[in-house]
Structure formats: structure tokens, C-alpha cells
Amino acid sequence: MSHEQYQSIIEELHECMAACNHCYDACLKEENMNMMAECIRLDRECADICAYLEQAIVRGTPFISELSQVCATICERCGNECQKHEHDHCKKCAEACFKCAEACQKLTA
């Protein structure tokens, strides 16, 4: 399959990566950074796996199913953590993560 057939997941991955990077940066500026430590860590993990999967799909990886499962798991964890916080950037990140996790799940079959 060509990467054009994966255009919607590529867009979800890119949006999630951008939301996680924004949340990561915003969390570093929060007053109580210790409270945000797990959110910051998961933002990085999620942004990295989304960027990697996006690139892997574009280059035609044979591991789409396996990588999508890992990505879905990390996105779900990041979304759950972000959801615990009241900051607008965390809420938006959680939403992007859950959408991306759902999209990735569809590729794991």
C-alpha cells in the first residue's frame, strides 16, 4: 500500500505530535513543574512515537500494525495523564491523543 492510502492517519499522527510538543513546552512553564513531570515525560514519548510512525508509514514500513499498536498504547497513556490536568494545553493534548490512539487501533488488525 502506498502512503497516500494512509493520509488520514498521517494527519492524525502529525496533529498529535504537534499537540504533545506544545503541551510539553507549556508544561515546562507551569508553576508547579513537579506536578507536571509525568505529563511532560509522556508528551515526549507520544510526540516521538507519532513522528516516528508518520515517517515509517511514508517510507512504506512493513511494521505498520506493530508500530501502530505501540503508538496507540502510548497515545492512550498520554491522553489519560493530560486529562488529569486543568490546563487548556493538556485538555487539547488529551483530545488529540485519544483521536490518534483510535486511528492507530484501526491499523493493528
Side-chain angles (χ1 to χ4, degrees), residues 42-104:
L42 288 170
D43 282 338
R44 288 301 326 133
E45 295 287 341
C46 194
D48 287 350
I49 191 65
C50 287
Y52 180 79
L53 181 54
E54 179 182 353
Q55 293 169 30
I57 289 171
V58 170
R59 71 174 172 264
T61 183
F63 304 107
I64 286 178
S65 181
E66 296 88 347
L67 292 170
S68 293
Q69 182 59 57
V70 171
C71 191
T73 299
I74 294 171
C75 286
E76 188 77 25
R77 289 271 306 272
C78 187
N80 286 334
E81 179 60 31
C82 285
Q83 206 171 34
K84 295 176 185 177
H85 305 285
E86 293 300 317
H87 310 292
D88 188 52
H89 56 85
C90 288
K91 297 293 184 196
K92 288 179 180 174
C93 187
E95 184 180 319
C97 286
F98 291 139
K99 282 179 67 179
C100 192
E102 185 178 328
C104 285

